Amino acid sequence: MNIPFLDHWRKRPEPEPSPLVAAYDRDPEGVAELLAECELLRARVEAAGVELDDTPRSLEALDQLPPRWRDDPEELPWFGNDAGLYLGTVIVRTVPGARWQVWPNGGPVVVLESGREIPVVAYGLEWAMTGAPELSQVYAEAAER
């Protein structure tokens, strides 16, 4: 049985790639700098006296902060997103062979030299909401050889 409108209904259009994917393809270093900004995270932790200097030591300091960001449910996901991007930035800048990769849906991940992908944003969100896994622990696992 041939019903023409069903053919169109069954065909699902391919999702268009995120603008971040196109930007990453053109300028990976520029996108890496953009991902490293983490403005909300930097502003909140600076007020708590923690300096984010893109080192593993700063991840340990973040893990020790009282989770006051959980008091604002609207800010919590943005804070967690920034925490994940900061985690990724530290890994990319300090672990040899680590680099950013942007999935077609626009989600950034860190790819290690071994090919292992680390979903840093997911880890950052989980850390912001529950405190686990600790950011310094995720870094330590990524830095292992």
Side-chain angles (χ1 to χ4, degrees), residues 3-132:
I3 304 173
F5 73 86
L6 286 180
D7 289 338
H8 296 293
W9 177 73
R10 281 192 222 155
K11 290 180 185 174
R12 301 263 193 272
E14 290 290 320
E16 292 198 24
S18 159
L20 186 59
V21 173
Y24 184 78
D25 289 343
R26 283 190 314 274
D27 184 11
E29 290 177 15
V31 170
E33 288 301 315
L34 178 68
L35 296 174
E37 286 183 4
C38 313
E39 281 187 50
L40 177 63
L41 176 75
R42 290 180 190 276
R44 296 295 179 267
V45 301
E46 184 179 304
V50 174
E51 179 188 353
L52 299 182
D53 57 1
D54 300 344
T55 64
R57 190 173 54 255
S58 64
L59 293 172
E60 293 171 4
L62 277 174
D63 287 335
Q64 300 304 314
L65 286 176
R68 292 192 178 96
W69 54 86
R70 293 186 194 144
D71 295 339
D72 186 347
E74 288 187 24
E75 190 173 273
L76 179 62
W78 297 104
F79 187 87
N81 186 72
D82 274 9
L85 293 175
Y86 182 71
L87 168 63
T89 297
V90 173
I91 293 171
V92 167
R93 290 184 177 172
T94 61
V95 175
R99 62 182 171 77
W100 284 107
Q101 179 64 48
V102 180
W103 285 339
N105 69 356
V109 296
V110 170
V111 180
L112 301 178
E113 194 171 44
S114 67
R116 178 178 160 221
E117 291 184 355
I118 302 173
V120 290
V121 172
Y123 283 139
L125 289 168
E126 193 173 335
W127 171 81
M129 291 189 288
T130 66

